[in-house]
Amino acid sequence: MSAATTTEGGRIDADRTAADRGAADRTAAIRAAHDRLESAVRTRIACAPVRDLIGEIDADAAYDVQTLGVVARLAEGRRVAGRKIGLTSAAVQAQFGVHSPDYGVLFDDMVVADREPIALDGLMQPRVEAEVAFVLGRDLDAPAASVADVIRATEFVLPAIEVVDSRIAGWDIRITDTIADNASSGAVVLGTVPRRLDGLDLAAVGMRLDVDGEPVSTGSGAACLGSPVVAVAWLARAVARHGRPLRAGEIVLSGALGPMVAALPGVFRARLDGLGEVHADFAATAGGAGTTTGAAA
């Protein structure tokens, strides 16, 4: 064997060792980020951001952390009820320095009925935003899903209030923090009167969010990637590429129609043109509410 061959073989072995070490370091960082978030879930004490572990731009690593959290919730007996889309607003994307939305998983114990009391002490740092919820009547599993596919797969839509929450102290988040934290999922309150998509222009839907009768947020469907239908098509393609396609029966939160606001004791009412109203009734403690959510994920 020549000296050149020996040298080349040594270089390949060194590169392979470095790659193995890098993969091991990445796996350890993902596990450490998961453990940090899980500690916050267990203790109900918000934690430091996880971007010091997985970086500020590695979305794949952040989704790997999210997956570990989903597996932990399923092991506890929870069931996937649907998905949610975040960062659909251009202004919020600019804030986080990203150019696309993110997504998370909704579990069955996150879903709350209209006017069903929600205990704020069952959450950590809750905020409220109004959205359009899609309920699927068939699988939406095409990797190149279009708006037409979304319309065809949607059984009906509902007005919804999403309660976003963060396990990261002070909402000190960047894109990888919120993805790892299940897209800052908390709970979702669904309206009770379904509407078919026939004849509905969701881009033109106006939204007003009140708390105890006072307006706190306004917006429209156009703020959600141009239309909530477009946002759901984006989600369908993203989750199909990751091997977790949308299934019939799932609820899909399509993204905020206006600015989110802090959740406080009182009744939040979201009015969506053509879709009706939905109410989130927050009580300060579980003693004043019939429901606490399993929000952390």
Side-chain angles (χ1 to χ4, degrees):
M1 181 180 296
S2 70
T5 301
T6 302
T7 301
E8 182 63 23
R11 185 178 300 114
I12 292 172
D13 289 342
D15 289 346
R16 186 177 296 124
T17 299
D20 291 344
R21 188 182 302 114
D25 290 346
R26 183 179 186 277
T27 299
I30 289 167
R31 173 58 64 177
H34 167 70
D35 290 345
R36 183 179 294 177
L37 289 165
E38 284 295 291
S39 177
V41 170
R42 291 192 307 270
T43 63
R44 308 205 63 75
I45 298 172
C47 65
V50 297
R51 58 184 180 269
D52 65 314
L53 299 170
I54 59 173
E56 292 196 14
I57 61 173
D58 190 347
D60 288 340
Y63 280 116
D64 287 344
V65 177
Q66 183 187 119
T67 296
L68 291 177
V70 170
V71 169
R73 302 291 80 77
L74 295 176
E76 295 168 353
R78 299 185 189 182
R79 180 180 61 83
V80 172
R83 321 294 174 90
K84 62 154 287 184
I85 312 170
L87 303 177
T88 52
S89 149
V92 176
Q93 288 182 12
Q95 176 186 347
F96 288 103
V98 298
H99 305 288
S100 69
D102 69 345
Y103 64 83
V105 176
L106 300 175
F107 296 97
D108 52 349
D109 59 347
M110 292 181 179
V111 182
V112 182
D114 187 42
R115 298 182 186 272
E116 185 177 358
I118 302 169
L120 286 171
D121 65 356
L123 300 159
M124 295 182 70
Q125 304 174 93
R127 297 180 180 182
V128 174
E129 54 191 29
E131 307 194 12
V132 177
F134 289 64
V135 179
L136 300 181
R138 63 177 72 176
D139 291 352
L140 192 51
D141 53 5
S146 68
V147 165
D149 294 321
V150 172
I151 294 170
R152 192 179 303 113
T154 300
E155 187 168 355
F156 55 85
V157 293
L158 295 165
I161 291 175
E162 183 183 3
V163 184
V164 291
D165 203 4
S166 180
R167 271 53 67 182
I168 307 295
W171 280 88
D172 177 15
I173 57 175
R174 300 292 183 270
I175 182 65
T176 49
D177 297 307
T178 186
I179 290 174
D181 189 24
N182 198 22
S184 303
S185 297
V188 54
V189 186
L190 297 176
T192 57
V193 181
R195 295 281 191 269
R196 299 284 182 177
L197 282 179
D198 297 356
L200 278 178
D201 181 1
L202 292 183
V205 167
M207 179 279 294
R208 171 173 162 148
L209 181 65
D210 301 336
V211 57
D212 294 332
E214 295 296 321
V216 292
S217 179
T218 59
S220 73
C224 184
L225 290 186
S227 169
V229 178
V230 174
V232 175
W234 174 89
L235 175 69
R237 293 191 296 269
V239 297
R241 285 195 298 268
H242 288 130
R244 296 183 288 274
L246 298 173
R247 297 301 186 191
E250 288 197 34
I251 301 161
V252 177
L253 293 183
S254 56
L257 304 183
M260 64 181 178
V261 296
L264 301 168
V267 177
F268 286 73
R269 178 185 64 180
R271 284 184 171 181
L272 278 64
D273 296 342
L275 297 181
E277 299 183 352
V278 60
H279 306 78
D281 185 355
F282 291 100
T285 66
T291 297
T292 56
T293 70

